[in-house]
């Protein structure tokens, strides 16, 4: 499982993938940036922003048994997370904005499983994810109420955006899992006086 840097590395990998594949003649000045809610008040002129707006524990993988660390030591179970992102296209005119968004969506659909090599490639620390780890990127449709709640947090005029979930980003524990010997006998003192 990946270390605590995995959340940031996942966002960096998504943007790095898009930046490297960007059609340069049409979007030569496009930038690719991770955004916080305050960035929506003064956005970039052209490019793609990625805003992490929610993190949830993946309930389906919550009770995974202990795992082995890079050094072979047995550790407590990983924390499996699902990361919810808003991907927004920015441009000076509507047609260019929609073309950029359409291209980005097609690109993320084509590469919907992010391998460990790709996830590690765009982060300063190169060994965050193990060779067998992947993160699945899934297009997510939000209800009108959820979308309204999201834009209330950002407090901006809603730009053309789509939402994705990055499933399952596992955060490895630093705590060793000690294994005790099997129980040999049981004593119940409840009936004794």
């Amino acid at each position: 499982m990946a270390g605590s840097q995995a959340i940031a590395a996942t966002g960096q990998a998504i943007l790095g993938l898009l930046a490297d594949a960007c059609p340069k003649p049409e979007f030569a000045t496009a930038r690719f940036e991770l955004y916080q809610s305050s960035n929506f008040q003064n956005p970039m002129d052209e490019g793609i922003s990625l805003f992490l707006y929610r993190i949830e524990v993946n309930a389906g993988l919550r009770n995974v048994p202990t795992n082995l660390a890079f050094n072979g030591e047995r550790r407590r179970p990983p924390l499996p997370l699902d990361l919810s992102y808003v991907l927004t296209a920015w441009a000076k005119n509507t047609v260019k904005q929609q073309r950029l968004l359409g291209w980005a969506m097609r690109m993320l659909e084509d590469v919907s499983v992010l391998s460990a090599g790709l996830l590690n490639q765009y982060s300063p620390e190169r060994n965050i994810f193990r060779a067998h780890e992947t993160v699945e990127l899934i297009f997510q449709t939000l209800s009108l109420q959820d979308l309204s709640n999201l834009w209330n947090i950002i407090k901006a005029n809603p730009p053309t955006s789509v939402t994705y979930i990055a499933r399952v980003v596992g955060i490895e524990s630093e705590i060793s899992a000690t294994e005790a010997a099997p129980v040999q006998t049981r004593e119940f003192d409840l009936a004794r006086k």
Side-chain angles (χ1 to χ4, degrees):
M1 292 287 125
S4 59
Q5 308 91 338
I7 295 171
T10 301
Q12 290 171 312
I14 294 167
L15 288 176
L17 172 70
L18 292 172
D20 286 351
C22 183
K24 293 299 178 193
E26 185 174 6
F27 306 115
T29 61
R31 295 179 7 215
F32 298 85
E33 298 178 5
L34 290 172
Y35 264 32
Q36 297 178 3
S37 59
S38 61
N39 295 117
F40 284 88
Q41 307 308 318
N42 188 21
M44 66 180 89
D45 288 336
E46 181 179 304
I48 296 287
S49 65
L50 192 64
F51 171 58
L52 176 62
Y53 71 93
R54 180 173 55 210
I55 300 174
E56 296 176 307
V57 174
N58 184 302
L61 297 175
R62 182 69 170 129
N63 295 320
V64 174
T66 60
N67 67 318
L68 295 176
F70 282 112
N71 62 5
E73 178 185 0
R74 199 163 286 290
R75 300 259 174 99
R76 293 187 68 190
L79 177 63
L81 301 175
D82 291 343
L83 311 178
S84 296
Y85 291 101
V86 172
L87 184 134
T88 305
W90 304 95
K92 290 295 184 186
N93 69 61
T94 306
V95 172
K96 194 167 190 179
Q97 182 185 33
Q98 291 176 3
R99 289 176 59 86
L100 183 58
L101 184 62
W103 165 80
M105 290 174 67
R106 181 70 256 173
M107 184 66 199
L108 293 179
E109 185 66 24
D110 288 343
V111 187
S112 61
V113 177
L114 308 177
S115 67
L118 187 123
L119 290 162
N120 288 329
Q121 178 179 347
Y122 297 101
S123 178
E125 302 89 13
R126 297 288 182 178
N127 292 321
I128 295 172
F129 291 87
R130 294 186 194 181
H132 68 279
E133 291 182 282
T134 60
V135 172
E136 184 179 14
L137 199 59
I138 302 168
F139 183 85
Q140 177 188 33
T141 303
L142 292 181
S143 69
L144 189 57
Q145 181 63 45
D146 288 342
L147 197 56
S148 176
N149 292 342
L150 177 62
W151 293 124
N152 281 335
I153 292 169
I154 295 172
K155 297 192 185 337
N157 293 327
T160 305
S161 302
V162 292
T163 54
Y164 285 89
I165 294 179
R167 297 182 53 229
V168 170
V169 178
I171 307 293
E172 186 175 84
S173 176
E174 296 295 321
I175 299 173
S176 296
T178 57
E179 292 187 21
V183 175
Q184 299 295 318
T185 61
R186 291 184 185 182
E187 289 187 28
F188 298 101
D189 293 335
L190 299 176
R192 293 183 188 171
K193 292 187 180 186

